[in-house]
Amino acid sequence: FASSRIHAQEPEANYDEARVPAYTLPPILVGADRAAVRTKVAWRSRRAELLDLFGAHMYGRTPPGLPTATISEVDAPVAVLDGRAWRQQWRLEWEGRASVDVLVYRPRHDRQVPVFIGLNYFGNHAVDPDPAIRLSTRWMRTSEANGIVNHRATEASRGTVARRWPIDLVIARDCAVMTAYYGDLAPDDPAVVRQGIAPLADGRQDRIPEAERWGAIGMWAWGLSQMRHAAGRMPGLDAGRSIVIGHSRLGKAALWAGVQDEGFAMVVSNDSGCGGAALSRRIYGETIGGITSSFPHWFCRTLSTYGGRESAMPVDQHQLLALVAPRVLHVASAIDDRWADPRGEFLATQAADEVWRLHGVNGLGVTEMPRVDKPVGAHVRYHIRTGGHDITRYDWEQYLETVTRELR
Ligand code: GTR
């Protein structure tokens, strides 16, 4: 995964716990009117305030009035995995102007099952070596290890990310998985980011100030929501038990999708780090200043004004995680993934827990960071895995366990 290791690492990045500045987190359960939020009803309006702040200051606002995708079958279901699963390819299309290729695996029976919905980095053909999967022709980040040459996938690209998509395991646990290439929605480079769904927003966001317009993370998140809608129109998938999942930059997108779209029953953040599950105010590993200069196309322009003055941000990421409540949230870190600030991810999760308590739901329930490879919690789960920045079979095992315990 050479390309996902091109961290625009900041040479002066802080990895010293003793140099984390003293900080005060903005409150979750105090409204803009300074009144304490003590009821589920009061939470609904506090929730709306926070959602608005994340749109205005961080990810940008999702344009109003975007169309819903039409869906069509690209092929008929094919039995795979020794007859244990159906594999099918679909296309989502908007106004004939943009489209996304979707790959679905589901158990080979008639009952509806929970469905994991997540984007992939190198095309559906990279998720599984099966030669019948359409080879993506879209722009991709060049990555020799993933068979990407001159920004296009080659036959050598097939199956190169299969390790990150343990479909056999998902099927064995009686779940389905739906994936699409994230670049179909928004190619991950400022020069080409508009070559996806971006034109759909033209004429629909005139009333949104330019500095508050969405970036690539917003587009990926919107696409995930569209996939959830589409799942409701496909056989065998229980869209009421849909799980949005993402690793790293796509973990940021999964969180933003999951907080905006309450139709997702569970939200999974895998090593999402800065701008995802990690607290910005800790200044540990990647920072707001760093991320907005390395990836100017990911967030709204306003976010870049907070580089070096994170304490002035009206939000921090514990408030984002809180917006998943009282649904199921699973946050995962990896011990060697210091760039993503594992402790900052845990502290945000722990600080968000009070909203599950407000709802009388068993959330995380612990205050100390757990040991490595020891998952904790109920409707809020957290684990920190041995190893580095990645999504592994171990991580998927934990997410499937959460589905079994909390979503059945
Ligand atoms: C890095 C970026 C991280 C994370 C990572 C990834 O370059 O700094 O925020 O998104 O990429 O997506 O693997």
Side-chain angles (χ1 to χ4, degrees), residues 69-117:
T70 57
I71 70 170
S72 55
E73 293 173 288
V74 171
D75 57 14
V78 176
V80 294
L81 287 172
D82 298 322
R84 282 174 284 126
W86 292 119
R87 188 216 67 216
Q88 190 169 14
Q89 302 182 83
W90 296 78
R91 177 157 305 146
L92 273 50
E93 195 159 356
W94 298 272
E95 299 178 339
R97 287 201 287 169
S99 67
V100 167
D101 285 318
V102 171
L103 176 64
V104 178
Y105 291 85
R106 60 185 166 94
R108 201 176 164 199
H109 60 58
D110 293 333
R111 296 180 303 282
Q112 294 203 325
V113 297
V115 53
F116 283 87
I117 300 177

Side-chain angles (χ1 to χ4, degrees), residues 116 166 169-170 173 330 375 381 383 391-404:
F116 283 87
L169 189 68
V170 175
R173 299 292 293 261
H330 193 138
R381 271 178 91 69
H383 75 261
I391 180 165
T392 68
R393 200 170 172 93
Y394 173 88
D395 293 314
W396 279 92
E397 279 165 358
Q398 309 321 309
Y399 305 140
L400 286 159
E401 183 62 21
T402 302
V403 170
T404 304

Side-chain angles (χ1 to χ4, degrees), residues 218-239:
M219 297 183 212
W220 300 329
W222 181 76
L224 285 162
S225 257
Q226 291 284 303
M227 288 164 74
R228 183 186 69 74
H229 279 283
R233 288 175 274 153
M234 294 176 186
L237 309 181
D238 181 357

Side-chain angles (χ1 to χ4, degrees), residues 120 122-129 133 146 157-162 165:
N120 65 69
F122 293 105
N124 296 340
H125 63 269
V127 165
D128 186 326
I133 298 173
N146 295 97
S157 178
R158 293 191 177 280
T160 54
V161 300
W165 295 89

Side-chain angles (χ1 to χ4, degrees), residues 4-8 121 247-250 252 271-272 274 286 291 295 298 339 389:
S4 54
R5 270 202 296 271
I6 307 172
H7 300 317
Y121 286 101
H247 167 62
S248 203
R249 65 196 68 185
L250 294 178
K252 308 179 210 294
D271 304 359
S272 62
C274 181
E286 189 169 31
I291 202 168
F295 307 103
W298 282 3
W339 181 238
H389 191 64

